[in-house]
Amino acid sequence: MRIAEILRRKGSDVATVRPDSTVRELLATLAAHNIGAVVVSSDGVGITGIVSERDVVRSLHLLGTDLLDAPVSQIMTADVRICDPDDLVEGLRRTMTDHRVRHLPVVRDGRLVGIVSIGDVVKSAISELATEREHLVGYLQGTY
């Protein structure tokens, strides 16, 4: 399965915040969209960074509540791992596991076209297994 298939199922909307947005604004975006990470982008097309709930918690522990008025650029990950819609999900699983990331922006021709989470990857694996099971049961029962 390719990443494009995951995006077809879940949609390609991506919540973004500007690098100069405050962490407080970031938290409002995470809550409004019920998501765990946001792409940091000045224009909604390019990627400046990514910031997750985990980044906020770790920074809050270190900096205290003053963090809430700090810019997102202060806590974001600037070295963002990305993937292409044509990449295989299996490769994405490896990347997420090897680099311990839960969200990867999907980029085509330098433009942000979606985001894939570990939850999306798990759902795709469950879907593939269910389809495979149906085929095997059908084969055993002689309906295929």
Side-chain angles (χ1 to χ4, degrees), residues 116-131:
V116 179
S117 72
I118 191 69
D120 299 326
V121 172
V122 169
K123 284 179 193 174
S124 76
I126 290 169
S127 176
E128 285 181 17
L129 289 171
T131 300

Side-chain angles (χ1 to χ4, degrees), residues 39-109:
V39 173
V40 180
S41 175
S42 297
D43 58 8
V45 176
I47 298 174
T48 305
I50 192 166
V51 63
S52 69
E53 295 167 324
R54 182 183 286 179
D55 297 322
V56 174
V57 170
R58 288 180 177 163
S59 297
L60 189 58
H61 173 72
L62 294 172
L63 304 173
T65 57
D66 290 341
L67 174 71
L68 296 175
D69 296 315
V72 169
S73 59
Q74 186 174 325
I75 66 168
M76 72 180 189
T77 299
D79 183 21
V80 182
R81 304 224 176 261
I82 61 170
C83 57
D84 184 276
D86 293 329
D87 290 345
L88 293 173
V89 174
E90 179 56 37
L92 181 67
R93 287 183 199 132
R94 264 187 261 111
T95 297
M96 288 179 151
T97 301
D98 292 349
H99 299 284
R100 300 185 57 135
V101 295
R102 297 178 181 179
H103 302 86
L104 263 78
V106 183
V107 176
R108 169 160 280 155
D109 300 326

